[in-house]
Amino acid sequence: MSEMKIIETRAYLLECPLDRPFAYSRGWVDRRGAVLVEIITDNGLTGWGEAFGPGRMSLGALDLIRPMLIGTDPLQTETLWHKIYGQYREHGQKGPLIDALSAIDIALWDIKGKYFKQPICRLMGGPLRLEVPAYASGLFHQRDGNPETYLAKEAARYVEQGYSAVKLKVGFGIDEDMRAVKAVRQAIGSDISLMVDANGAYDAVNAIRLARRMEPYDITWFEEPVPPEDIDGYLQIKTVQSIPVAAGEAEFTRFGFREILTRRALDIIQPDICAAGGFTECKKIVDMAHAFGIRCSPHTWGTAIAIAASLQLLAILPNTSSVLHPIPPMLEWDFTEHSIRDALLTDALRPIDGMISIPEMPGLGIEINRETIRPFEVG
């Protein structure tokens, strides 16, 4: 045990309105938010984490957890994870409690990296790679204009910036989705990877109809075609058409991914480190996927903390198979408006020609200025 102890934890609920609201299959987004966690130790080291999901729900879960951390050794990440999960497992196996636990675990690993003066990926046995390709995640619907026109222009812009893969939002009806797929594929050409994401908009019947119509357009993966609870639906879709099926941003812990993996319900799992349980749990999840020969492409949707944490995870993600030229894992790079994220981003966390380096500074490899987030604080 170290002599270091946690003396304080702080949670920050942040929100900012959008200048240009955008839509995905489940509704309109007119503001972005984040919940950040700061853990402070008695030797001056501070760790930062981030929770995915509805901010106010995560904040409530954090209020339950934070008193359990005071006086504990922050280096005991495994011990603390199981202590917190065990305390609330009867009502917290999924959702905001695990979102909050994820944020705390990320902050603890940030402290651990700073304590040992190493990036997190090195403490976890890596890195297996020093950089990863990023894919452009955007192509949402807007209030004005023809989707075929503005989506094609947006996708072409990403290709011009050096991205070799883009992700399109679908789930607006099969015919409308197909018009968008055709327009985007024509705009980016045949050499660029195209993924589509329905955010659980369809049932298995319509997801299969859409997938079969998309097959000629060389779709890299079909993400969340049905709601996350519908494991049988995923299996049905996976077995009757050729597009790889991906999901997992709405799944939690190794226990949630166990059924997906044992039933081989997905071709690609997408755990979000800010939701699935932090570093302590996501290392177990990606190793489980590796044991099953199932690809892993982590979901990322947050501020600079989420991006930095995802990069540290990507650095230790095992290749699905041992070949001379393995398929590299990709970082999801969110192109939608997010003033909080932009205020915290540094040049070291920005892709260059579609590639992004793994941070090499201790911990997450980033520093957070409290004054920078102050304008976004709620309450």
Side-chain angles (χ1 to χ4, degrees), residues 193-320:
S193 296
L194 174 60
M195 295 82 85
V196 300
D197 182 2
N199 291 108
Y202 292 117
D203 59 15
V205 173
N206 276 344
I208 292 168
R209 290 178 59 205
L210 176 60
R212 286 176 170 166
R213 289 181 62 179
M214 291 192 298
E215 282 179 310
Y217 295 90
D218 191 19
I219 304 301
T220 300
W221 73 58
F222 189 177
E223 184 171 333
E224 290 196 312
V226 295
E229 306 95 324
D230 190 5
I231 302 297
D232 287 314
Y234 278 109
L235 269 170
Q236 186 179 355
I237 297 162
K238 179 174 175 284
T239 54
V240 299
Q241 53 80 46
S242 64
I243 299 172
V245 179
E249 70 182 70
E251 194 50 86
F252 304 87
T253 76
R254 83 201 87 153
F255 307 114
F257 280 93
R258 176 178 57 191
E259 182 178 8
I260 291 171
L261 293 169
T262 55
R263 297 184 66 186
R264 304 192 72 85
L266 295 172
D267 298 294
I268 303 163
I269 64 165
Q270 299 174 303
D272 189 309
I273 195 166
C274 298
F279 285 103
T280 298
E281 196 68 359
C282 282
K283 180 65 167 68
K284 298 177 175 69
I285 293 167
V286 300
D287 286 342
M288 286 168 61
H290 181 61
F292 281 89
I294 292 175
R295 296 180 191 175
C296 182
S297 185
H299 175 266
T300 306
W301 191 259
T303 74
I305 296 172
I307 294 169
S310 295
L311 285 169
Q312 296 293 329
L313 180 64
L314 284 162
I316 61 167
L317 194 67
N319 296 319
T320 306

Side-chain angles (χ1 to χ4, degrees), residues 20-24 27-29 138-155 157-158 169 172 176 335-336:
R20 298 187 65 189
F22 57 84
Y24 67 129
W28 284 91
V29 178
L139 301 173
F140 288 74
H141 277 218
Q142 304 169 12
R143 290 201 184 279
D144 302 315
N146 182 343
E148 295 171 59
T149 301
Y150 62 68
L151 291 172
K153 289 181 178 179
E154 182 183 346
R157 187 167 67 249
Y158 298 148
K169 289 295 182 178
F172 300 93
E176 185 166 347
F335 265 99
T336 60

Side-chain angles (χ1 to χ4, degrees), residues 9-50:
T9 64
R10 300 173 182 169
Y12 302 87
L13 176 62
L14 312 177
E15 289 184 358
C16 61
L18 298 182
D19 292 330
R20 298 187 65 189
F22 57 84
Y24 67 129
S25 65
R26 302 208 323 262
W28 284 91
V29 178
D30 61 6
R31 61 182 50 243
R32 296 297 294 269
V35 169
L36 307 185
V37 171
E38 181 184 21
I39 297 179
I40 302 168
T41 66
D42 58 359
N43 70 349
L45 290 181
T46 295
W48 288 86
E50 180 171 351

